[in-house]
């Protein structure tokens, strides 16, 4: 495959932006990206997973937004293991932010609304537990973090026990501006938007301040096999910790991961899917897992070919060390990753989603420019060293569910 040479066209131009950290701890970032006359809003509210009941947090997210924001479909809120993310696409930015600040600073949780939300969430959790991939991810989290793990798929009894009083208590004790992030991306004047948000949100009183929740420490080792009677397919999930995006080693790790399983022309896709048909799908991705940055190997295979697929995954990890990435593979991965970044950043929603994840870790708004430049200038030797250091077979732990 011939890969086009990298030129200045690969650089991501830093869009006009402005940011401020308010006295109450809220970080406000506005980015001008006027591709369409809309604005993407992201509000990230961190929670301490060790002190937060997952069912209560999910009901809080489902009932946080008032009807006018939620019912139009322009705003939604979702809880994960470490916080709540409010997502919105709006035409009138100022009025939407005014409604949002009211929802956050003066919430109204009724017993009727909380019980209705709990019933719906219980149904959704039941459906997810029946989904093989979601179930495998749940087993992976439990394997990696042992007794310290709190399920992301509470059962019906857990949701039924949630009351409006418990939701209001969680909001009062844990939802505050400290370490929270408000991001606006779109047809905005960044300086003006930051000033308006600062005025509207400065009076948000901080909740009791606690230290940022640390990443959950991985305690599981080896590969755990989980029996799922009657399953026709098996899900294989293997994971290992890697540097965070702000670490200078991250671009080399990203390139090594892409060579291994980040695209349809990767080694895993060729060996397990195209050449042998061992996997319906297989990939290696960099993602967050319980607050820690990890590489995740995922494979979906027929139940009777599970052992062969696990062996093939191990063989490809060994081959990455014995037959390091070639110049051609590194250049192909580089073109693929930079193209992916540029494609993501081309839309307001994609840019907002990328930035909210990066900013939550303390990254600056022009990080995309730095990432594309770093990917463009990372050499093969650095990629080989990263593959040896972070993609060695002995570093992985995980589960096989099937």
């Amino acid at each position: 495959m011939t890969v086009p040479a990298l030129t200045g066209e690969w650089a991501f131009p830093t869009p006009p932006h402005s940011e401020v950290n308010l006295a109450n701890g809220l970080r406000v970032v506005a980015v001008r990206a006027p591709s369409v006359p809309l604005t993407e809003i992201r509000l990230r509210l961190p929670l301490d997973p060790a002190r937060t009941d997952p069912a209560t947090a999910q009901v809080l997210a489902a009932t946080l937004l008032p009807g006018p924001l939620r019912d139009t479909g322009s705003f939604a809120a979702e809880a994960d293991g470490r916080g709540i993310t409010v997502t919105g696409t709006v035409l009138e930015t100022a009025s939407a932010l005014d409604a949002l600040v009211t929802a956050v600073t003066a919430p109204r949780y009724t017993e009727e609304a909380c019980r209705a939300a709990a019933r719906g969430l219980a149904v959704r959790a039941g459906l997810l537990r029946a989904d093989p991939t979601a179930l495998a991810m749940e087993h992976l989290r439990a394997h990696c973090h042992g007794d310290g793990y709190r399920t992301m798929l509470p059962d019906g009894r857990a949701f039924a026990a949630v009351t409006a009083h418990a939701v209001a208590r969680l909001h009062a004790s844990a939802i505050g501006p400290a370490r929270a992030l408000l991001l606006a991306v779109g047809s905005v004047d960044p300086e003006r938007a930051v000033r308006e948000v600062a005025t509207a949100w400065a009076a948000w009183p901080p909740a009791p301040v606690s230290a940022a929740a640390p990443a959950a420490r991985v305690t599981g080792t080896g590969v755990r096999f989980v029996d799922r009677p009657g399953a026709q397919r098996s899900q294989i999930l293997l994971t290992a910790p890697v540097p965070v995006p702000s670490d200078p080693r991250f671009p080399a790790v990203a390139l090594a991961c892409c060579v291994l399983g980040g695209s349809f022309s990767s080694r895993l896709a060729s060996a397990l899917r195209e050449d042998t048909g061992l996997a319906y799908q297989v990939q290696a991705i960099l993602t967050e897992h319980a607050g820690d940055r990890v590489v995740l190997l995922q494979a979906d295979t027929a139940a009777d070919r599970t052992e062969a697929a696990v062996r093939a995954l191990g063989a490809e990890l060994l081959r990455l060390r014995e037959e390091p990435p070639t110049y051609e593979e590194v250049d192909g991965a580089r073109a693929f990753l930079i193209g992916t970044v540029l494609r993501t950043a081309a839309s307001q929603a994609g840019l907002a989603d990328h930035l909210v994840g990066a900013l939550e870790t303390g990254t600056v708004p022009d990080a995309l420019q730095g990432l594309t430049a770093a990917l463009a200038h990372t050499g093969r030797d650095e990629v080989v060293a990263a593959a040896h250091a972070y993609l060695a077979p002995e570093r992985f732990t995980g589960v096989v569910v099937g």
Side-chain angles (χ1 to χ4, degrees):
M1 179 182 69
T2 302
V3 180
L6 291 172
T7 69
E9 296 176 0
W10 293 88
F12 176 78
T14 301
H17 62 276
S18 181
E19 70 172 299
V20 65
N21 289 292
L22 304 186
N24 59 14
L26 176 66
R27 185 183 185 189
V28 181
V29 179
V31 179
R32 181 164 176 77
S35 55
V36 293
L38 297 170
T39 300
E40 292 289 330
I41 305 295
R42 302 290 185 270
L43 175 63
R44 180 63 178 171
L45 304 168
L47 293 171
D48 183 350
R51 303 177 182 179
T52 304
D53 172 61
T56 304
Q58 291 181 35
V59 174
L60 188 156
T63 53
L64 172 65
L65 302 174
L69 283 179
R70 185 179 62 251
D71 296 342
T72 60
S74 59
F75 271 90
E78 191 80 20
D80 56 40
R82 299 177 66 81
I84 293 172
T85 301
V86 179
T87 303
T89 304
V90 301
L91 184 61
E92 296 292 338
T93 306
S95 59
L97 288 175
D98 286 344
L100 186 57
V101 72
T102 300
V104 172
T105 59
R108 297 181 60 186
Y109 298 110
T110 66
E111 202 66 48
E112 180 182 7
C114 289
R115 291 195 180 281
R119 288 194 295 270
L121 289 166
V123 171
R124 187 180 73 166
L127 293 174
L128 286 173
R129 282 193 295 272
D131 178 77
T133 301
L135 181 64
M137 287 298 300
E138 186 74 356
H139 281 295
L140 177 66
R141 297 186 190 103
H143 169 73
C144 288
H145 306 297
D147 295 337
Y149 172 66
R150 305 188 76 170
T151 179
M152 289 301 298
L153 298 176
D155 58 22
R157 289 175 298 177
F159 281 114
V162 176
T163 64
H165 176 70
V167 174
R169 187 171 63 244
L170 175 61
H171 190 122
S173 64
I175 300 298
R179 298 189 308 279
L181 167 68
L182 178 60
L183 170 69
V185 176
S187 299
V188 297
D189 178 329
E191 297 289 344
R192 179 180 176 183
V194 164
R195 288 196 303 269
E196 290 177 347
V197 170
T199 300
W201 293 68
W204 184 13
V209 178
S210 59
R217 190 170 64 90
V218 174
T219 58
T221 59
V223 178
R224 178 188 174 200
F225 287 82
V226 180
D227 184 37
R228 191 162 66 90
Q232 300 298 309
R233 293 187 178 186
S234 295
Q235 281 66 45
I236 305 168
L237 299 176
L238 304 176
T239 186
V242 296
V244 297
S246 58
D247 191 300
R249 296 167 294 182
F250 181 80
V253 175
L255 289 166
C257 181
C258 187
V259 169
L260 176 64
S263 71
F264 286 114
S265 60
S266 67
R267 292 188 177 191
L268 289 180
S270 297
L272 274 80
R273 180 182 167 90
E274 304 303 330
D275 295 344
T276 63
L278 283 174
Y280 299 108
Q281 59 182 10
V282 61
Q283 64 176 348
I285 60 173
L286 297 178
T287 186
E288 184 184 276
H289 183 78
D292 199 9
R293 183 62 59 168
V294 300
V295 56
L296 178 66
L297 307 187
Q298 293 179 283
D300 180 8
T301 185
D304 60 355
R305 308 196 76 181
T306 302
E307 291 187 16
V310 172
R311 287 195 299 269
L313 277 173
E316 286 305 310
L317 288 172
L318 280 172
R319 188 166 78 88
L320 194 65
R321 179 162 59 193
E322 296 169 356
E323 299 176 25
T326 65
Y327 285 100
E328 183 179 11
E329 285 179 315
V330 172
D331 286 343
R334 190 191 333 275
F336 180 83
L337 288 181
I338 294 178
T340 299
V341 171
L342 296 179
R343 186 182 70 241
T344 298
S347 71
Q348 292 173 337
L351 179 58
D353 289 339
H354 185 96
L355 285 176
V356 75
L359 291 169
E360 191 180 13
T361 64
T363 306
V364 294
D366 60 359
L368 280 176
Q369 183 183 46
L371 176 58
T372 54
L375 289 170
H377 294 99
T378 298
R380 174 185 178 263
D381 290 346
E382 295 170 270
V383 177
V384 171
H388 284 193
Y390 297 104
L391 301 180
E394 59 272 14
R395 298 188 73 245
F396 284 82
T397 185
V399 297
V400 177
V401 181

